[in-house]
């Protein structure tokens, strides 16, 4: 069904079922968990990915967990021709656009790469979606778009002043989508600004499998616990926070996946361009995370304090009232679930998907 015809509704009003969804970057960390939740909710999923930072094994495992075959198409969002062809071939009703690059440090060294993939790729996907009469586009944005000046908890109306090319590539991509929606109001667009996704599916069968040395806190903590690295470097204990370490809004990846399903179902029935923070709305420090991890898993995580990491903000956590009000969604998993599920995945898959 196309956007001009509206979406399929189940006999119970307000429940959108059986949407055909193209998931770009669906073999990646957040994408694979979202594919699983989409299938669980009765939606039909096709993935397009260039597997530059992922493995097709993730989707094979989602297929096993859900007992549903999921097609994975090879495709690079930097190729308009390829993305046009994928949309023409699959005729999705909704596109969830995860495909992108996410390293702040790499974006400082290779800003062109980030603009090409995150901004150019989003433009290609959005134009292909318009051409293919897709009803809904959801976009993976980041809390990074707020930058340093925001007061916490930060709401969606706060100023956006990203401090690095990665954050700017996400903010400019948001603007592209906003302008395309203004010119084409029938295309319903949802932007999700993620805070700090962590954890894995409770089965431990799928999870986060970063290539090389993890830059993010919790994958690194898991590898220290597994013995891959001797200790965690804590980037600064002189912030003006209770224990001096940085504070973030950690959210279980299954909660984040669920938010995508709920937002997609909402956007199928509501036009316009809308932006939502997706977090738990509470801040947790680095040392608190490490301590929860040690208590829940019984594993030791030695730490050493090192200087602050360039570009880090002291505190970042979300005001989540807008997504609760509009969508009726809020996070359900607790910190202990995040660390337990992370460890379950790590201990069952010491080499990731390899
Ligand atoms: P990920 O690297 O695991 O997933 C991204 C996927 O996109 C991978 O499967 C990768 O192979 C694919 N991809 C990359 N470039 C591509 C290209 N040119 N063409 C096609 N596919 C391509 O990362 P993730 O953590 O799952 O993040 C998903 C999205 O969410 C990204 O856009 C990221 O910027 C955004 N995001 C992530 C976080 C986080 O903490 N993980 C926070 C905020 C926003
Ligand atoms: C980082 C990126 C953000 C991106 C997100 C997902 C920066 C400045 N921000 O968010 O743009 O969207 O990853 O890729 O890079 N920490 C340590 N030791 C470590 C790793 C992290 O102490 O080895 C601390 C950090 O200083 C921070 C907290 O842990 O206080 C969380 O860090 P991280 O997981 O990297 O997430 P963000 O910095 O919030």
């Amino acid at each position: 069904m196309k956007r001009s015809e509206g979406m399929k509704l189940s006999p119970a009003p307000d429940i959108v079922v059986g949407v055909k969804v193209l998931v770009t970057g669906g073999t990646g960390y957040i994408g694979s968990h979202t594919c699983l939740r989409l299938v669980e909710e009765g939606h039909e999923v096709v993935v397009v990915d260039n597997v530059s930072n992922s493995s097709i094994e993730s989707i094979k495992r989602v297929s096993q967990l859900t007992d549903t075959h999921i097609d994975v198409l090879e495709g690079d969002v930097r190729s308009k021709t390829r993305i046009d062809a994928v949309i023409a071939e699959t005729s999705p009703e909704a596109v969830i656009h995860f495909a992108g690059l996410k390293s702040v440090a790499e974006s400082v060294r290779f800003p062109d790469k980030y603009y090409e993939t995150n901004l150019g790729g989003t433009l290609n996907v959005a134009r292909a979606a318009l051409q293919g009469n897709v009803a809904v586009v959801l976009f993976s944005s980041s809390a990074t778009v707020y930058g340093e000046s925001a007061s916490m908890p930060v709401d969606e109306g706060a100023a956006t002043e990203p401090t690095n090319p990665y954050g700017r590539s996400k903010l400019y991509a948001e603007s592209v989508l906003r302008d395309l929606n203004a010119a084409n109001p029938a295309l319903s667009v949802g932007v999700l600004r993620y805070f700090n996704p962590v954890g894995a599916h409770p089965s431990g069968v799928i999870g986060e499998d970063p290539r090389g040395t993890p830059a993010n806190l919790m994958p690194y903590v898991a590898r220290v616990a597994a013995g891959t690295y001797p200790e965690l470097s804590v980037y600064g204990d002189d912030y003006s926070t209770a224990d001096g370490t940085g504070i973030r809004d950690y959210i279980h990846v299954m909660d984040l996946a669920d938010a995508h399903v709920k937002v997609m179902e909402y956007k199928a029935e509501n036009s316009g361009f809308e932006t939502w923070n997706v977090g738990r709305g509470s801040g947790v420090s680095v040392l608190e995370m490490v301590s929860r991890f040690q208590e829940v898993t019984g594993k030791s995580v030695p730490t050493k304090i090192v200087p602050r990491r360039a570009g880090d903000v002291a505190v970042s956590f979300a005001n989540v009232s807008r997504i609760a009000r509009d969508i009726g969604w809020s996070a359900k998993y607790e910190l202990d679930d995040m660390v337990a599920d992370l460890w379950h995945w790590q201990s069952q898959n010491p080499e990731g998907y390899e």
Side-chain angles (χ1 to χ4, degrees), residues 35-175:
C35 287
L36 184 138
R37 283 294 298 129
L38 285 165
V39 172
E40 283 177 346
E41 292 303 312
H43 302 297
E44 190 187 338
V45 173
V46 182
V47 167
V48 60
D49 204 304
N50 71 352
V51 281
S52 56
N53 195 39
S54 57
S55 161
I56 287 180
E57 178 65 18
S58 63
I59 289 296
K60 288 192 183 148
R61 295 189 186 186
V62 171
S63 293
Q64 283 160 12
L65 284 169
T66 56
D67 203 16
T68 305
H69 175 75
I70 298 173
D71 277 331
V72 180
L73 307 177
E74 202 290 324
D76 193 312
V77 295
R78 291 171 298 180
S79 165
K80 169 110 181 7
T81 317
R82 180 63 187 138
I83 296 307
D84 284 349
V86 166
I87 294 218
E89 197 181 308
T90 56
S91 300
E93 293 154 319
V95 174
I96 306 186
H97 178 40
F98 292 104
L101 304 175
K102 62 172 181 176
S103 160
V104 170
E106 188 188 38
S107 80
V108 173
R109 278 182 283 129
F110 307 107
D112 50 334
K113 220 173 129 179
Y114 275 67
Y115 291 120
E116 184 184 26
T117 301
N118 291 357
L119 180 57
T122 301
L123 180 58
N124 287 340
V125 168
R127 290 169 81 196
L130 276 171
Q131 203 172 307
N133 228 15
V134 170
V136 175
V137 171
L138 302 191
F139 175 61
S140 299
S141 190
S142 169
T144 307
V145 299
Y146 294 117
E148 288 179 37
S149 58
S151 66
M152 297 295 154
V154 62
D155 65 41
E156 295 86 347
T160 45
E161 293 166 359
T163 54
N164 53 66
Y166 165 70
R168 282 189 283 275
S169 73
K170 288 289 180 185
L171 185 62
Y172 300 159
E174 288 189 10
S175 300

Side-chain angles (χ1 to χ4, degrees), residues 35 40 103 115 122 135 143 153 189 208 216 231 234 270 290 297 300 351:
C35 287
E40 283 177 346
S103 160
Y115 291 120
T122 301
V189 178
E208 183 171 16
N216 293 117
E231 62 197 356
V234 175
N270 295 274
V290 172
T297 66
S300 162
E351 308 299 328

Side-chain angles (χ1 to χ4, degrees), residues 102 104 142 144 196 216-217 233-235 248 250 309 312:
K102 62 172 181 176
V104 170
S142 169
T144 307
N196 289 65
N216 293 117
L217 177 67
S233 295
V234 175
Y235 297 141
R248 296 291 183 275
Y250 297 94
R309 178 172 66 179
D312 271 355

Side-chain angles (χ1 to χ4, degrees), residues 219-236:
Y220 201 98
V221 164
R223 290 187 189 190
V224 172
T228 312
Y229 305 117
E231 62 197 356
L232 170 76
S233 295
V234 175
Y235 297 141

